[in-house]
Amino acid sequence: MRKALTPVARKLRNAPTKAEKHLWYVLRSKSLGVKFRRQAIIGRYIVDFVCFERKLVIEVDGGQHAQSQRDVLRDEWLSNQEFKVIRFWNQDVLKNLDGVFQKIEEHLKSPSLTLPTRGRESRLS
């Protein structure tokens, strides 16, 4: 599966949307203390941006993603892999980049990203 997705991910990296370009510029230039990758493959999905160290996925969506069942299933799968997914609309990135960056910073500082999420399951056993 990964081999089939690699050319698609490469194509997406070479042709980002305007909103993805803006957000990537910020993610690269701001000193967040973590590394983000863009158009990365996770399982059978390609995500817009990911910080593997913090298991944080950032998606930048256009109108075609409104109420998308595919996105719901994808987010559930990523969540089961212990990734936190946050989504922003293209217009939010283009018109309120500082606010988007602030939300990303909040998620990176969130203790829930560093604590194991499976601890509750083992206590129930």
Side-chain angles (χ1 to χ4, degrees):
M1 177 64 77
R2 187 171 182 86
K3 278 189 174 185
L5 290 176
T6 299
V8 176
R10 187 174 295 125
K11 182 178 177 184
L12 291 169
R13 274 192 300 274
N14 289 328
T17 66
K18 188 174 180 180
E20 288 171 346
K21 280 183 191 179
H22 283 298
L23 186 55
W24 181 238
Y25 176 79
V26 168
L27 292 174
R28 281 188 333 176
S29 66
K30 297 283 186 175
S31 180
L32 291 169
V34 294
K35 179 182 177 181
F36 277 91
R37 291 181 47 200
R38 61 190 175 112
Q39 303 302 338
I41 300 167
I42 303 175
R44 62 179 187 224
Y45 299 106
I46 299 172
V47 299
D48 289 339
F49 303 98
V50 62
C51 172
F52 283 106
E53 176 185 340
R54 301 301 299 274
K55 296 208 103 167
L56 178 64
V57 170
I58 302 170
E59 289 293 311
V60 180
D61 297 333
Q64 74 275 16
H65 289 272
Q67 300 178 347
S68 168
Q69 185 61 29
R70 290 177 73 189
D71 285 345
V72 170
L73 294 173
R74 179 177 189 258
D75 290 356
E76 283 178 14
W77 186 87
L78 288 165
S79 179
N80 287 335
Q81 306 307 307
E82 299 183 3
F83 283 91
K84 168 72 176 159
V85 179
I86 56 175
R87 292 182 172 277
F88 299 102
W89 292 109
N90 286 339
Q91 290 304 313
D92 291 335
V93 172
L94 295 172
K95 295 185 180 201
N96 186 17
L97 194 53
D98 289 335
V100 167
F101 180 74
Q102 186 176 6
K103 289 282 187 194
I104 294 168
E105 272 188 316
E106 288 171 13
H107 280 279
L108 287 171
K109 291 177 183 177
S110 169
S112 65
L113 287 176
T114 57
L115 297 175
T117 58
R118 296 184 185 235
R120 283 180 33 198
E121 293 174 10
S122 61
R123 281 187 264 148
L124 296 174
S125 301

